[in-house]
Amino acid sequence: MDIARKLELLADAAKYDVACTSSGVNRSGKKGQLGSATQAGCCHSFTPDGRCVTLLKVLMTNVCTCDCAYCVNRVSNRSIERTAFTPRELADLTIGFYRRNFIEGLFLSSGVAGNPDNTTELMIRALEILRHEYGFRGYIHAKAIPGASPELLQQLGFLCDRLSVNMELPSAASLALLAPDKTKTNILAPMRQICDNCTEDAESRALSRRTAGPLAQRKTKTAARAFAPAGQSTQMIIGASPESDHHILNLSASLYRTLSLKRVFFSAYVPVTRDPRLPQTDRVPLNREHRLYQADWLMRFYEFSVDEIIDEADPFLDLEVDPKAAWALRHLDLFPVEVNTASYEVLLRVPGIGVRGAKLILRARRHSTLGADELRKLGIAWKRARYFVTCKGAYAVPGADFSAPWLRAQLAAPIDGGAHGRRSAKEVPGQLSLFDGLDAQTGHVQPKMPAAPSPLPQGRGGEELLLAGGGAAALPLQERRTGAQRRLEPKSGAVPGNGARPGAGRSAPRPQTAPRAFAALKPAVEALF
Ligand code: SF4
């Protein structure tokens, strides 16, 4: 099988792994070596439902001995073509794309080929070629295979930036039902090991820095790599099993607390196989996943506890209003708050005021008294915040009925002019697939236009802005491109990519956004091999 076909199959098989890990480490380029990693992370791809994920995201192999009911790669699924990269192929592919400026890093997962140790050894070999032979310093996120031996996990951790193990499902009972080859123990054991190894590595590095006095030997030229310096994350499938949001958030909180996880990713269940054990649904509403991310954000950055966000008696998050607004509606006795005197902690609880906004308010009010205009200039989401604050003692919504039902109706209503309002009525281009619509001569992708407005989830952050191209269906095909796509198109005669020379020690290149990168992938693969 040729390498382009392998890439097509293994990139497609990896698309259900959610890891918007643009977070991570800062590591600048170095003379004589390739690549760098920034906290902005790898370049981005978009899953079919519009979520933003990381490139180059591939499986080592889609051969798997396990039989997870929800997974397209499961052993009992005879309808898919199976293949595997050799470590050399994967390393060459990654470096080839990196040099062409298509990607900033690698997200590597795998099915279980033979046994977990075999698979992990293949992954280690590929990463060794990348790190040691090519001197690749870019970002690598590797998925550990549950059941692999601790020694191999240790080796893998020193080759990648982030190492993660998928929780898969939120309870042991659901695992037993839907992923019978996995157990809570064989998932938690590697997570515990990664946590311990990260801590030990950080402590030993801190100790050696403290003990290194002025007479210490000069630093060796190539410092030893840290163990998974960007920490670990995990992923859970939401909606394939009956666990409530209350259960899921409590589990996430305990993972953050006990295993020092950097992120817990939630992936709304998408039916890709038929199995009587799976829920008979088209798909789980993406809004549920979105609300879980919002709640997760509240726990990590807004000092909310799980009990404040969700009640065991009503164990699912409100899909109409976000969890912070829902909390405010349950605590109207604490509002409105005066923005000119409220503490940082109180400001953080106001819907429409984020962490950055609260800090800006504290700084700005040292110099003047703030009113609505000043708050708008500070970037506060005034259309939400105005219901919960007073400025200079005056309530900003005269005639408002300050009651939970009325406020709820205002907060749930589409916001005119926002992503929920004016823009939401516009048609957006359909999601591009890796090679669909590839023009063999130009190497450009002609995006498919949906006949009906896209069901893209609303309010999901910046990713839909790249996808939004209102009124596109009314334009000739050549014109149906987003601004980002147009900016990324090459001048006539340009080579795929940005034509930048692959140079050692250059600073981090800006990643291509998905449509342009995808367009150029196929010719580039052919050129490589
Ligand atoms: S272990 Fe389960 S989830 Fe992972 S690839 Fe195999 S069947 Fe899919």
Side-chain angles (χ1 to χ4, degrees), residues 22 28 30 32 52 55 64 68 136 216 254 268 320 338 343-344 346 390 400 407 423 481 507:
S22 55
S28 55
K30 210 173 189 181
C52 177
L55 276 182
C64 192
C68 307
F136 181 67
S254 105
E320 275 196 346
E338 170 57 47
S343 67
Y344 174 72
V346 169
T390 57
L407 288 171
R423 283 202 297 271
R481 298 186 296 274
S507 60

Side-chain angles (χ1 to χ4, degrees), residues 59 61-75 82 109-112 145-146 166 168 178-179 181-182 237:
L59 298 187
T61 175
N62 62 353
V63 174
C64 192
T65 52
C66 299
D67 202 26
C68 307
Y70 46 82
C71 178
V72 73
N73 300 318
R74 65 181 183 167
V75 67
R82 308 273 177 173
S109 185
S110 184
V112 184
I145 311 290
N166 281 355
E168 304 288 8
L178 298 179
D181 304 286
K182 299 182 179 178
I237 300 169

